[in-house]
């Protein structure tokens, strides 16, 4: 194996270009193009989320089309399992790694083993922290995701026109996912002025990031927290909006609200945001329950990751469009960021159906 780390260091001043996100076991494929059948290991977080199944399949399909063999593993939301899987991929002699981390601080030791074996690493969607042994990062503009969610709440409540006060509750993603902070910061940049003027009121008092995270982005965990908030803070009041960073959390929040009588009689469902355009949530939006989601075309993200791996293995400089914003605590990791799209009942057909992400039949099942 050529010294790819040295090659990467020598070619890491690159140009920019614009482009666009989930079974345990392995998937393999081979072909004639690419770096002559090199094998790329792909470590995804979990099969429990629709989005990571889509990511895994899309990355494999793109790499196979480029002539690579692939080994795809899912860590089932266990950091320890993911570390063991990556270690096994290194021992099997993969030529590159694409990793969506479960715990962004748990991979330092195993990635040192990858560096010792001269295996380049692409951090996929979730930035791996605290190690120099991450070569590139591919994701979406994560602060923009939060801004889209906040903007939807602002517009639908008429906050810019002086309406209010309204009651809002805040949810964030997993505390061990680096993206959580970006989503939350992006949203709060727009929402905080209305909290300051009391047009928005968080009756639970839970406003700090550490108070509103949801371990592993888990819907049942979000449901439990929302149920507690309703019991403690809304006995005689109603919720007008919920900032939710992810569709699975949104569904959990919705279930808690419906069990509390929202969606019937004189208790309309609040505005509820989301992310990832998962099928269940898009159906919920069509049904008038969840209000909005942020669509991130996982096919494009997978394509960018595959192209990046192909460039690295062919000693070319991968295309990036952000070199400074994503510092993992050791270095600024060169990144390619894609742009998300806000989706609600008014535009899902144009964005998701006309765009080929879902069919009408899938949305009507």
């Amino acid at each position: 194996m050529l010294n790819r780390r040295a090659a990467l260091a020598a070619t890491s001043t690159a140009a920019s270009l614009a482009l666009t996100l989930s079974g345990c076991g392995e998937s393999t494929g081979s072909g004639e193009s690419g770096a002559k059948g090199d094998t790329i290991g792909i470590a995804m977080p979990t099969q429990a989320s629709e989005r990571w199944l889509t990511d895994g399949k899309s990355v494999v399909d793109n790499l196979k089309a480029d002539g690579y063999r692939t080994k795809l593993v899912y860590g089932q939301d266990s950091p320890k399992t993911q570390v063991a899987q990556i270690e096994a991929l290194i021992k099997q002699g993969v030529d590159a790694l694409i990793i969506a981390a479960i715990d962004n601080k748990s991979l330092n030791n195993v990635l040192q083993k990858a560096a010792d074996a001269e295996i380049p690493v692409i951090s996929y969607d979730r930035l791996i922290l605290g190690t120099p042994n991450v070569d590139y990062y591919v994701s979406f503009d994560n602060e923009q995701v939060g801004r889209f969610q906040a903007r939807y709440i602002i517009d639908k409540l008429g906050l810019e026109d002086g309406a209010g006060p309204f009651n809002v509750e805040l949810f964030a993603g997993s505390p061990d996912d680096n993206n959580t902070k970006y989503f939350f910061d992006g949203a709060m940049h727009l929402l905080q002025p209305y909290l300051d003027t009391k047009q928005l009121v968080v009756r639970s008092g839970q406003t700090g990031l550490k108070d509103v995270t949801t371990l592993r982005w888990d819907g049942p965990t979000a449901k439990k927290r929302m149920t507690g908030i309703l019991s403690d803070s809304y006995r005689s009041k109603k919720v007008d909006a919920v900032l939710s960073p992810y569709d699975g959390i949104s569904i959990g929040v919705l279930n808690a609200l419906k069990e509390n009588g929202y969606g019937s009689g004189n208790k309309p469902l609040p505005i509820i945001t989301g992310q990832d355009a998962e099928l269940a949530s898009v159906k919920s939006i069509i049904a008038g329950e969840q209000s909005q989601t942020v669509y991130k075309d996982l096919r494009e993200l997978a394509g960018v990751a595959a192209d990046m791996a192909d460039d690295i293995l062919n000693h070319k400089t991968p295309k990036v469009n952000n070199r400074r914003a994503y510092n993992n605590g050791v270095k600024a990791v060169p990144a390619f960021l894609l742009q998300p799209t806000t989706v609600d009942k008014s535009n899902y057909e144009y964005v998701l159906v006309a765009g080929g992400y879902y069919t009408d039949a899938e949305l009507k099942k």
Side-chain angles (χ1 to χ4, degrees), residues 14 67 103 107 115 134 152 206 222 233 236 260 263 271 274-276 357-358:
D103 179 341
L107 302 179
V134 179
Y152 195 85
Q206 299 169 15
S233 305
S236 61
N260 195 262
I271 296 162
Q275 177 183 186
D276 283 345
Y357 200 71
Y358 292 123

Side-chain angles (χ1 to χ4, degrees), residues 279-293:
L279 185 59
S281 280
V282 177
K283 289 181 176 181
S284 179
I285 289 170
I286 295 169
E289 296 183 340
Q290 186 172 325
S291 310
Q292 176 260 11
T293 189

Side-chain angles (χ1 to χ4, degrees), residues 228-261:
I229 288 172
L230 291 170
S231 175
D232 294 341
S233 305
Y234 288 90
R235 294 181 183 180
S236 61
K237 302 291 183 179
K238 69 181 181 71
V239 184
D240 298 298
V242 178
L243 174 71
S244 169
Y246 160 60
D247 288 346
I249 291 174
S250 309
I251 294 297
V253 168
L254 264 170
N255 289 337
L257 288 162
K258 288 192 283 187
E259 288 182 6
N260 195 262

